[in-house]
Amino acid sequence: MRIEIHSATAQDTREVGEALASLLHEGDAIALTGELGAGKTTFVQGLARGLQIDDPIVSPTFTLIREYRGRLHLVHVDVYRLERVQDVIDLGLDDEVSDGALLVVEWGDAVQALLPPDHLTIEMTVPTTDVERRLIVLSGDGPSWHARWERLESALVRWASGSAA
């Protein structure tokens, strides 16, 4: 399952995150991937807004983990600076998911094997020289995402450039 969407501005990227928020449940995990500056934290800002989180959302690059309370307990993680898998394991991310948190991991492709098998991967790229424009590709793994996929497609139809199951 895969959906490709385009975001023309940072505000669009936030709105995509906000649209996704309504479909999220306790214990969900999201891997955010993409090069530096692709808009991962901007996406999380919109996601947080959709979760009724009022706190400012900033990158957890130097703190590794930031937690926020809203409709769901959001655990926002950045593993960019971690060099060993053991460093990631030591963060206890599996415990956060087990406790019902929504886990969002920037640079999640580096720790894909440590995420629950039922998770969403969001890849963000800058396909043109337009510094604002983003290609966002969502891929769902596991029965939970299979059950929500049509609703996800509907929530993101405004930005859709084509989708395939």
Side-chain angles (χ1 to χ4, degrees), residues 27-30 93-94 97 103 112-120 141:
D28 277 343
I30 299 174
L93 302 180
D94 53 341
V97 172
L103 178 65
Q112 200 86 3
L114 299 176
L115 294 176
D118 195 356
H119 68 273
L120 185 66
D141 291 307

Side-chain angles (χ1 to χ4, degrees), residues 91-121:
L91 292 176
L93 302 180
D94 53 341
D95 292 336
E96 296 287 356
V97 172
S98 296
D99 291 344
L102 165 62
L103 178 65
V104 178
V105 183
E106 293 194 27
W107 304 97
D109 48 338
V111 296
Q112 200 86 3
L114 299 176
L115 294 176
D118 195 356
H119 68 273
L120 185 66
T121 300

Side-chain angles (χ1 to χ4, degrees), residues 43-155:
F43 176 86
V44 177
Q45 290 169 347
L47 190 71
R49 185 171 55 206
L51 294 172
Q52 293 92 46
I53 294 171
D54 295 325
D55 298 325
I57 304 300
V58 295
S59 175
T61 299
F62 296 102
T63 58
L64 302 180
I65 298 177
R66 293 190 183 270
E67 297 187 49
Y68 306 93
R69 296 284 177 178
R71 180 178 68 79
L72 297 175
H73 173 202
L74 171 62
V75 177
H76 182 199
V77 181
D78 187 322
V79 297
Y80 181 73
R81 297 192 178 283
L82 298 181
E83 296 179 12
R84 301 174 311 131
V85 171
Q86 187 60 49
D87 294 335
V88 178
I89 292 170
D90 290 345
L91 292 176
L93 302 180
D94 53 341
D95 292 336
E96 296 287 356
V97 172
S98 296
D99 291 344
L102 165 62
L103 178 65
V104 178
V105 183
E106 293 194 27
W107 304 97
D109 48 338
V111 296
Q112 200 86 3
L114 299 176
L115 294 176
D118 195 356
H119 68 273
L120 185 66
T121 300
I122 301 173
E123 179 183 3
M124 305 178 79
T125 57
V126 184
T128 68
T129 56
D130 180 346
V131 296
E132 292 280 323
R133 192 168 210 58
R134 301 289 183 264
L135 172 63
I136 302 172
V137 178
L138 297 92
S139 306
D141 291 307
S144 167
W145 284 104
H146 286 276
R148 291 182 266 180
W149 203 252
E150 284 185 31
R151 290 189 334 233
L152 180 61
E153 287 176 324
S154 293

